[in-house]
Amino acid sequence: MNNLSAVGNIGSDAEVRHTPSGAVITSWSFALSSGYGDKRKTTWLRCNLFGDRGEKLAPMLLKGTQVALNGEISLNEYVAKDGTNKSTLELNVSNVTLLGKKDAAAAPAKASLP
């Protein structure tokens, strides 16, 4: 079973787009940090939330917001416009819990949609 549960910060405001068939996809970047001190490192994931939930949550999925995410992780490999091979880690999100922002007055303290 492929399931990732993580707490981290949103790196870019969520973007909502629609496929030609009308499906809604909400995407954002997510910073997942591990280690400490000189060994601290950040892994970036591209998050995708499908359906109306993402569209409803998008106004709250803002850069700097701390969230807990659950979903299926995958490695997406592709050829960039310049011809080089690239890869990104992607998370197909099944659950989002908003934990708040560093500035607690700017966002709700806690909200969740299953």
Side-chain angles (χ1 to χ4, degrees), residues 6-86:
V7 173
N9 294 310
I10 295 175
S12 63
D13 292 352
E15 299 175 3
V16 178
R17 65 185 190 280
H18 297 80
T19 65
S21 65
V24 179
I25 305 171
T26 304
S27 301
W28 65 92
S29 63
F30 177 73
L32 180 59
S33 297
S34 61
Y36 57 92
D38 294 341
K39 298 192 186 264
R40 186 168 182 85
K41 73 179 205 176
T42 301
T43 301
W44 288 93
L45 298 144
R46 186 76 187 152
C47 296
N48 299 302
L49 181 58
F50 298 89
D52 293 337
R53 290 183 307 145
E55 195 166 28
K56 291 174 185 172
L57 274 174
M60 295 176 271
L61 298 173
L62 303 174
K63 182 177 180 175
T65 302
Q66 187 178 44
V67 294
L69 301 175
N70 299 92
E72 184 176 320
I73 194 165
S74 63
L75 181 65
N76 180 23
E77 298 176 339
Y78 62 96
V79 178
K81 291 179 182 178
D82 64 4
T84 59
N85 292 329
K86 302 275 185 176

